Amino acid sequence: MSDTLFSKIIRREIPADIVFEDDEVLAFRDINPQAPTHVLFIPKRAIATLDDATDNDQALLGRLMLAAARWAREQGLAERGYRVVMNCRDDGGQSVHHIHLHLLAGRRMTWPPG
Ligand code: AMP
């Protein structure tokens, strides 16, 4: 797959406001936040879209989700709640082809999404 700007963030080639990192997951603040807290959780091993994930990625996807939930809890965001979103390809609104979980918090979310 082609290199994305998220790979460059992982390699520290472009700056990001990193809030969490472990051996498999990196999380940083979205440059164009859609809520008072808007953080992207990405796997260090790039997968282009959710549709490209396979059974081999099961643990990694779970880890991404749990990392977001744990971080939200640690930040005191869990009690009021938050939203996690993963956009897939064009109709899903995906612009960076390296899967990422959006964590949005700090305001009441609306449904359905626009
Ligand atoms: P998506 O549209 O679901 O692919 O989400 C991509 C997200 O990446 C958008 O919310 C962008 O604002 C965000 N983004 C793009 N470039 C950067 C960057 N350099 N640092 C942080 N977030 C970024």
Side-chain angles (χ1 to χ4, degrees):
M1 66 173 288
S2 59
D3 211 24
T4 69
L5 70 100
F6 288 177
S7 299
K8 294 184 171 67
I9 288 174
I10 292 167
R11 296 196 299 266
R12 306 311 203 257
E13 291 170 8
I14 61 174
D17 185 356
I18 293 170
V19 299
F20 171 81
E21 180 171 22
D22 67 15
D23 53 335
E24 291 194 89
V25 174
L26 186 73
F28 51 89
R29 293 192 190 277
D30 196 294
I31 204 166
N32 182 23
Q34 301 301 311
T37 298
H38 186 173
V39 171
L40 303 176
F41 286 77
I42 70 171
K44 289 185 175 176
R45 177 165 60 79
I47 301 167
T49 79
L50 185 57
D51 184 57
D52 296 299
T54 70
D55 286 350
N56 290 336
D57 302 314
Q58 192 171 322
L60 184 58
L61 291 172
R63 199 154 162 169
L64 209 58
M65 190 76 84
L66 289 173
R70 192 179 317 110
W71 187 82
R73 203 177 309 122
E74 288 168 1
Q75 297 298 310
L77 301 168
E79 191 173 340
R80 285 195 60 87
Y82 53 84
R83 179 169 292 173
V84 290
V85 177
M86 186 177 286
N87 299 322
C88 182
R89 296 195 177 134
D90 289 350
D91 277 4
Q94 183 177 9
S95 60
V96 180
H97 285 183
H98 178 137
I99 60 167
H100 46 282
L101 199 61
H102 295 257
L103 170 67
L104 299 140
R107 68 169 171 84
R108 181 64 65 104
M109 301 298 150
T110 57
W111 193 264

